[in-house]
PDB file of all heavy atoms in Angstrom:
ATOM      1  N   LEU Z 196     -12.649  25.864 -32.943  1.00  0.00           N
ATOM      2  CA  LEU Z 196     -13.537  26.530 -33.898  1.00  0.00           C
ATOM      3  C   LEU Z 196     -13.769  25.691 -35.140  1.00  0.00           C
ATOM      4  O   LEU Z 196     -14.788  25.853 -35.822  1.00  0.00           O
ATOM      5  CB  LEU Z 196     -12.952  27.894 -34.275  1.00  0.00           C
ATOM      6  CG  LEU Z 196     -12.915  28.926 -33.140  1.00  0.00           C
ATOM      7  CD1 LEU Z 196     -12.262  30.215 -33.603  1.00  0.00           C
ATOM      8  CD2 LEU Z 196     -14.324  29.201 -32.618  1.00  0.00           C
ATOM      9  N   LYS Z 199     -16.968  24.080 -35.344  1.00  0.00           N
ATOM     10  CA  LYS Z 199     -18.079  24.999 -35.593  1.00  0.00           C
ATOM     11  C   LYS Z 199     -19.062  25.060 -34.414  1.00  0.00           C
ATOM     12  O   LYS Z 199     -20.266  24.802 -34.566  1.00  0.00           O
ATOM     13  CB  LYS Z 199     -18.813  24.619 -36.893  1.00  0.00           C
ATOM     14  CG  LYS Z 199     -17.910  24.688 -38.118  1.00  0.00           C
ATOM     15  CD  LYS Z 199     -18.684  24.607 -39.398  1.00  0.00           C
ATOM     16  CE  LYS Z 199     -17.756  24.686 -40.606  1.00  0.00           C
ATOM     17  NZ  LYS Z 199     -16.948  25.938 -40.629  1.00  0.00           N
ATOM     18  N   ALA Z 268     -10.995  38.683 -31.911  1.00  0.00           N
ATOM     19  CA  ALA Z 268     -10.873  38.841 -33.364  1.00  0.00           C
ATOM     20  C   ALA Z 268     -10.994  37.489 -34.075  1.00  0.00           C
ATOM     21  O   ALA Z 268     -11.631  37.385 -35.133  1.00  0.00           O
ATOM     22  CB  ALA Z 268      -9.543  39.507 -33.709  1.00  0.00           C
ATOM     23  N   THR Z 269     -10.409  36.455 -33.503  1.00  0.00           N
ATOM     24  CA  THR Z 269     -10.477  35.121 -34.097  1.00  0.00           C
ATOM     25  C   THR Z 269     -11.906  34.595 -34.061  1.00  0.00           C
ATOM     26  O   THR Z 269     -12.383  33.993 -35.034  1.00  0.00           O
ATOM     27  CB  THR Z 269      -9.532  34.156 -33.364  1.00  0.00           C
ATOM     28  OG1 THR Z 269      -8.195  34.645 -33.457  1.00  0.00           O
ATOM     29  CG2 THR Z 269      -9.597  32.761 -33.973  1.00  0.00           C
ATOM     30  N   LEU Z 270     -12.605  34.823 -32.968  1.00  0.00           N
ATOM     31  CA  LEU Z 270     -14.007  34.392 -32.869  1.00  0.00           C
ATOM     32  C   LEU Z 270     -14.865  35.108 -33.907  1.00  0.00           C
ATOM     33  O   LEU Z 270     -15.702  34.487 -34.579  1.00  0.00           O
ATOM     34  CB  LEU Z 270     -14.531  34.675 -31.462  1.00  0.00           C
ATOM     35  CG  LEU Z 270     -13.957  33.812 -30.333  1.00  0.00           C
ATOM     36  CD1 LEU Z 270     -14.293  34.417 -28.971  1.00  0.00           C
ATOM     37  CD2 LEU Z 270     -14.492  32.388 -30.419  1.00  0.00           C
ATOM     38  N   GLN Z 271     -14.656  36.400 -34.057  1.00  0.00           N
ATOM     39  CA  GLN Z 271     -15.436  37.160 -35.036  1.00  0.00           C
ATOM     40  C   GLN Z 271     -15.122  36.717 -36.459  1.00  0.00           C
ATOM     41  O   GLN Z 271     -16.021  36.594 -37.297  1.00  0.00           O
ATOM     42  CB  GLN Z 271     -15.177  38.655 -34.854  1.00  0.00           C
ATOM     43  CG  GLN Z 271     -15.752  39.201 -33.546  1.00  0.00           C
ATOM     44  CD  GLN Z 271     -15.263  40.598 -33.221  1.00  0.00           C
ATOM     45  OE1 GLN Z 271     -14.127  40.956 -33.544  1.00  0.00           O
ATOM     46  NE2 GLN Z 271     -16.092  41.384 -32.557  1.00  0.00           N
ATOM     47  N   ALA Z 272     -13.859  36.441 -36.739  1.00  0.00           N
ATOM     48  CA  ALA Z 272     -13.470  35.974 -38.073  1.00  0.00           C
ATOM     49  C   ALA Z 272     -14.088  34.620 -38.386  1.00  0.00           C
ATOM     50  O   ALA Z 272     -14.323  34.298 -39.558  1.00  0.00           O
ATOM     51  CB  ALA Z 272     -11.951  35.905 -38.179  1.00  0.00           C
ATOM     52  N   ALA Z 273     -14.369  33.841 -37.346  1.00  0.00           N
ATOM     53  CA  ALA Z 273     -14.987  32.526 -37.538  1.00  0.00           C
ATOM     54  C   ALA Z 273     -16.497  32.621 -37.674  1.00  0.00           C
ATOM     55  O   ALA Z 273     -17.168  31.593 -37.832  1.00  0.00           O
ATOM     56  CB  ALA Z 273     -14.629  31.614 -36.372  1.00  0.00           C
ATOM     57  N   GLY Z 274     -17.043  33.834 -37.613  1.00  0.00           N
ATOM     58  CA  GLY Z 274     -18.474  34.020 -37.837  1.00  0.00           C
ATOM     59  C   GLY Z 274     -19.330  34.094 -36.595  1.00  0.00           C
ATOM     60  O   GLY Z 274     -20.560  34.078 -36.688  1.00  0.00           O
ATOM     61  N   LEU Z 275     -18.705  34.186 -35.416  1.00  0.00           N
ATOM     62  CA  LEU Z 275     -19.481  34.306 -34.190  1.00  0.00           C
ATOM     63  C   LEU Z 275     -19.639  35.769 -33.807  1.00  0.00           C
ATOM     64  O   LEU Z 275     -18.691  36.553 -33.911  1.00  0.00           O
ATOM     65  CB  LEU Z 275     -18.810  33.562 -33.032  1.00  0.00           C
ATOM     66  CG  LEU Z 275     -18.880  32.041 -33.033  1.00  0.00           C
ATOM     67  CD1 LEU Z 275     -17.712  31.442 -33.828  1.00  0.00           C
ATOM     68  CD2 LEU Z 275     -18.872  31.492 -31.610  1.00  0.00           C
ATOM     69  N   PRO Z 297     -24.729  32.147 -34.175  1.00  0.00           N
ATOM     70  CA  PRO Z 297     -23.582  31.638 -33.415  1.00  0.00           C
ATOM     71  C   PRO Z 297     -22.994  32.752 -32.556  1.00  0.00           C
ATOM     72  O   PRO Z 297     -22.728  33.855 -33.056  1.00  0.00           O
ATOM     73  CB  PRO Z 297     -22.616  31.182 -34.512  1.00  0.00           C
ATOM     74  CG  PRO Z 297     -23.503  30.836 -35.671  1.00  0.00           C
ATOM     75  CD  PRO Z 297     -24.621  31.847 -35.620  1.00  0.00           C
TER      76      PRO Z 297
END
Side-chain angles (χ1 to χ4, degrees):
L196 293 177
K199 299 192 180 302
T269 300
L270 290 166
Q271 291 168 327
L275 286 88

